[in-house]
Amino acid sequence: MSDVNETDDSVDDIEEEIDGNRAEPDGGVDAAVAVCEYLAKAVVTDPDGVSVSVYDDNGRLELQVAVSDGDMGRVIGRRGRVAKAIRTVVRAAAVRDGAEVDVEFLD
């Protein structure tokens, strides 16, 4: 059971690193945004070039991830495997906020 608590603490630590000035739609997706930004920054060569924006797309929230030039290939990965993994983990984190999200990677 301690593994679960450590995971919850890790998400909380990640959330604290995220800028609190971002406007979010009703229902918030704090955990999903924090996890998405953390994972994207871990993969790219320029972590400062990562930005995650939240948009309401007809009731479904969309996280749009923008990265620096040259880092898109790292985020997508071979055959889209890294992108798929990021989407899976972010969707799981969104469950914590009671939301459903889509993740889009912007060129």
Side-chain angles (χ1 to χ4, degrees):
M1 283 290 190
S2 64
D3 292 338
V4 172
N5 291 336
E6 290 175 13
T7 303
D8 289 342
D9 293 339
S10 299
V11 171
D12 292 338
D13 292 341
I14 295 167
E15 288 175 358
E16 290 176 5
E17 294 178 15
I18 304 300
D19 182 15
N21 295 330
R22 181 178 296 130
E24 296 190 9
D26 293 336
V29 285
D30 294 336
V33 171
V35 169
C36 185
E37 192 166 332
Y38 178 81
L39 291 173
K41 285 183 176 184
V43 173
V44 299
T45 57
D46 180 20
D48 293 332
V50 173
S51 68
V52 178
S53 302
V54 180
Y55 295 95
D56 189 348
D57 185 23
N58 296 327
R60 188 169 176 96
L61 299 177
E62 183 175 295
L63 303 182
Q64 293 183 348
V65 181
V67 297
S68 298
D69 292 336
D71 280 336
M72 186 56 70
R74 291 178 176 274
V75 174
I76 301 298
R78 289 188 179 172
R79 297 188 180 192
R81 289 182 181 147
V82 174
K84 183 176 179 181
I86 290 173
R87 286 183 178 114
T88 301
V89 174
V90 170
R91 285 181 183 140
V95 170
R96 177 180 179 147
D97 296 324
E100 291 183 15
V101 299
D102 291 323
V103 179
E104 294 296 322
F105 298 97
L106 304 177
D107 220 6

